[in-house]
Amino acid sequence: MKPDNKRTGASVAMRQVVKAFGENVVLNKLDLDVDPGEVVVIIGPSGSGKTTILRVIMTLERIDEGTIEIDGRHLYHEQKNGVLTPASEKHIRSVRSDISMVFQHFNLFPHMSARENVMLAPMKVKGMTEDEADVQAQELLNKVGLGDKLDHRPSELSGGQKQRVAIARSLAMEPKVMLFDEVTSALDPELVGEVLTVLRELAASGEMTMMMVTHEMGFASEMADRVLMFDRGQILEQGPPDKLFKDPDHERTKTFLRAVLSH
């Protein structure tokens, strides 16, 4: 599915996005549309720029060129008198409130309980009362199977449990777009399954757009509506998981998959 500038209604729309670190161009005129409710999995070798896609959508890194739209709203630009101009921080924050990201290393506040970690952002950012945030936190922690760990601090939780708290915390912002960056790679192998179970349930609900970077090829094959093979700052090929994993077009994709699947 090649990008088409006439498409409308995309949940995420990236147009000619460039991001470089010094001489190293990690996103090279990237075009990408992600539909509402679609689960897109991004695979590719280390250093190919796949995590940078998530980081520029989350505004953890700023793009050098191009545009990104979230649910029809420009992220880094504003329309003024019919002209796109660089956006104010207020505008960026407003659009970013529709996006949440779950990180590889959880990023929980160690001095707060699971419940308090989930309550914090809705109170600070969305103006929820403590009671409202508490009710929501309990619902979400139940949803990820941690209803019995509400008052446990991160030090009292396993890696898989911490990651599930991090997912609940992201869900608390009621995002339209959820980003997942290698969310199982810091976990012991026996803990991976419990996190993947939660992600399967989220994907099955179809309630939000999900973009994931992962090295878990079996999971990607099962979860994704579409898989992107990313290399050298560009999408090398993309398609349904059955096609991309079983009959890829590019030799580079075949080599990459052979290397990953042999481990």
Side-chain angles (χ1 to χ4, degrees):
M1 183 161 49
K2 292 186 178 175
D4 175 353
N5 289 329
K6 294 177 184 174
R7 283 183 66 193
T8 57
S11 190
V12 178
M14 305 178 78
R15 291 287 175 272
Q16 295 290 289
V17 170
V18 174
K19 176 63 187 174
F21 297 100
E23 298 292 306
N24 182 24
V25 179
V26 289
L27 301 180
N28 186 4
K29 297 192 180 299
L30 176 64
D31 284 317
L32 174 62
D33 281 301
V34 183
D35 290 331
E38 188 177 16
V39 179
V40 168
V41 172
I42 306 166
I43 63 170
S46 294
S48 62
K50 56 191 187 293
T51 288
T52 305
I53 297 174
L54 305 188
R55 291 181 66 82
V56 298
I57 293 171
M58 196 63 204
T59 72
L60 298 170
E61 308 284 355
R62 298 296 172 97
I63 61 177
D64 298 320
E65 295 175 27
T67 63
I68 299 176
E69 291 179 52
I70 304 297
D71 206 29
R73 299 172 70 201
H74 276 283
L75 178 57
Y76 289 106
H77 297 84
E78 292 179 84
Q79 287 270 8
K80 290 186 179 170
N81 301 321
V83 178
L84 276 186
T85 59
S88 65
E89 286 300 317
K90 181 181 177 184
H91 173 88
I92 290 172
R93 278 197 306 274
S94 169
V95 179
R96 191 178 56 209
S97 68
D98 284 334
I99 312 162
S100 273
M101 186 163 173
V102 183
F103 298 87
Q104 183 175 340
H105 292 293
F106 328 131
N107 293 5
L108 299 176
F109 291 105
H111 61 288
M112 291 184 174
S113 67
R115 181 205 310 251
E116 290 165 339
N117 266 285
V118 177
M119 288 170 63
L120 183 65
M123 290 166 60
K124 290 258 189 198
V125 179
K126 300 183 82 175
M128 269 192 186
T129 67
E130 187 172 347
D131 285 346
E132 289 169 339
D134 188 25
V135 168
Q136 183 191 53
Q138 291 186 57
E139 286 174 357
L140 290 172
L141 287 165
N142 274 316
K143 184 173 185 173
V144 299
L146 292 174
D148 59 340
K149 306 286 185 188
L150 296 176
D151 297 312
H152 285 57
R153 291 188 178 187
S155 60
E156 301 171 292
L157 301 172
S158 71
Q161 289 168 338
K162 288 178 199 172
Q163 194 58 285
R164 285 186 281 153
V165 173
I167 291 169
R169 181 182 57 183
S170 285
L171 289 170
M173 293 304 291
E174 300 177 321
K176 292 176 180 170
V177 178
M178 253 182 111
L179 311 173
F180 299 87
D181 183 21
E182 294 281 16
V183 294
T184 58
S185 63
L187 302 179
D188 292 333
E190 67 269 23
L191 300 177
V192 169
E194 64 192 64
V195 174
L196 298 188
T197 296
V198 170
L199 295 182
R200 278 187 198 99
E201 289 168 1
L202 286 181
S205 75
E207 290 170 4
M208 69 188 80
T209 304
M210 298 168 71
M211 296 178 67
M212 303 181 171
V213 168
T214 186
H215 65 286
E216 296 270 353
M217 295 300 144
F219 175 64
S221 156
E222 173 194 341
M223 283 270 300
D225 297 312
R226 180 164 45 125
V227 180
L228 311 182
M229 171 64 187
F230 206 71
D231 191 37
R232 299 185 183 181
Q234 294 184 316
I235 298 167
L236 189 60
E237 63 178 303
Q238 57 183 302
D242 271 3
K243 168 72 172 79
L244 197 125
F245 286 120
K246 293 176 182 171
D247 185 27
D249 295 327
H250 282 262
E251 192 55 44
R252 179 74 187 92
T253 310
K254 294 174 187 174
T255 307
F256 170 74
L257 289 172
R258 273 198 300 270
V260 174
L261 295 172
S262 66
H263 284 182

